[in-house]
Amino acid sequence: MKIICIGRNYTDHIAELENERPTDPVVFMKPDTAILLKKQPFFIPEFSDDVHHEVEILVKITKIGKHIDAKFAHKYYDQIGLGIDFTARDLQSKLKEKGLPWEKAKGFDGSAVIGKFIDKSEFENINNINFRLENNKKVVQNGNTSLMLWKIDALIEYVSKYFTLKIGDIIFTGTPSGVAKVTTNDNLTGYIEDKKVFDIKIK
């Protein structure tokens, strides 16, 4: 399986990091070794002093597809999840300054939290899902899929132009504002609506 990530998909987060608003979705990848194993803590890597949490709605692909039209995209997933794209922001900034790829800052071991998935039939509208991240029981990121620049089905259409989507692939759909540094002893808890879908300790 592969992990396909979307950057700069929420206007408030673009402004937060003073990035340019993209004309097309920003796409990058994480290897499967980035997945944080279940019930394991996240260990801050020795190569970064500024790892940020980025909470994101996830989509798990259930059918093989290429050049998928947005109007048919809903047939390629049946579950919605939540996760964290951990980002070594200091390393990412250095790489961006040199015009280099982000993989070392985004795809390192343990950098992808994948929480429990919920059947999409439980949601009235996929494009109106509330989600949030709490750090030590305080809300630090709050989002709604209605605020995405490119909604889930549009992302599947776009990504499938370049990559054949396969069963088990996961799309990270972008993060809202509120990204911030994590520190030892933080406890990150993710919610879709009011359902807790992950709980991660920082070491």
Side-chain angles (χ1 to χ4, degrees):
M1 58 86 73
K2 54 188 174 291
I3 302 168
I4 302 167
C5 304
I6 306 299
R8 304 179 191 176
N9 201 23
Y10 288 83
T11 302
D12 54 358
H13 177 59
I14 294 170
E16 177 179 52
L17 295 186
E18 299 181 349
N19 286 323
E20 182 179 339
R21 180 170 173 150
T23 55
D24 293 304
V26 174
V27 179
F28 61 95
M29 313 278 277
K30 287 177 181 272
D32 58 5
T33 49
I35 297 172
L36 185 66
L37 298 178
K38 299 294 183 186
K39 299 182 180 179
Q40 293 296 310
F42 172 76
F43 290 93
I44 298 171
E46 74 283 353
F47 54 77
S48 177
D49 294 317
D50 193 23
V51 173
H52 285 202
H53 57 69
E54 299 188 6
V55 72
E56 312 197 9
I57 287 289
L58 312 182
V59 179
K60 185 188 291 184
I61 300 300
T62 55
K63 287 173 60 177
I64 296 175
K66 176 75 174 174
H67 295 296
I68 301 164
D69 192 292
K71 66 186 176 187
F72 299 120
H74 67 279
K75 296 181 179 182
Y76 288 80
Y77 63 97
D78 54 21
Q79 293 179 315
I80 299 295
L82 194 71
I84 296 176
D85 164 21
F86 281 118
T87 303
R89 190 73 69 204
D90 46 359
L91 180 55
Q92 185 190 35
S93 295
K94 291 175 184 176
L95 293 167
K96 285 169 68 175
E97 284 173 9
K98 296 177 180 178
L100 297 172
W102 300 349
E103 273 79 1
K104 290 189 290 185
K106 286 281 195 179
F108 58 88
D109 290 355
S111 62
V113 172
I114 297 174
K116 296 176 185 174
F117 281 86
I118 299 171
D119 195 284
K120 71 178 183 184
S121 64
E122 294 190 28
F123 303 102
E124 287 185 20
N125 183 354
I126 292 298
N127 295 321
N128 186 22
I129 298 174
N130 293 303
F131 61 97
R132 71 182 188 273
L133 179 70
E134 295 183 2
N135 186 356
N136 297 327
K137 299 185 178 180
K138 177 184 176 183
V139 177
V140 288
Q141 287 191 266
N142 223 335
N144 184 288
T145 54
S146 67
L147 300 175
M148 289 179 176
L149 295 178
W150 290 276
K151 305 300 191 288
I152 290 171
D153 291 352
L155 290 174
I156 289 173
E157 178 181 62
Y158 184 81
V159 167
S160 68
K161 290 178 185 177
Y162 302 92
F163 310 106
T164 297
L165 295 178
K166 302 180 99 174
I167 296 168
D169 287 352
I170 293 176
I171 300 175
F172 277 61
T173 61
T175 193
S177 63
V179 302
K181 179 178 179 177
V182 296
T183 58
T184 303
N185 297 323
D186 282 350
N187 197 90
L188 301 178
T189 311
Y191 294 85
I192 298 179
E193 298 295 348
D194 288 319
K195 289 189 176 182
K196 182 164 76 171
V197 290
F198 66 75
D199 193 5
I200 304 295
K201 291 181 171 56
I202 306 297
K203 299 285 189 179

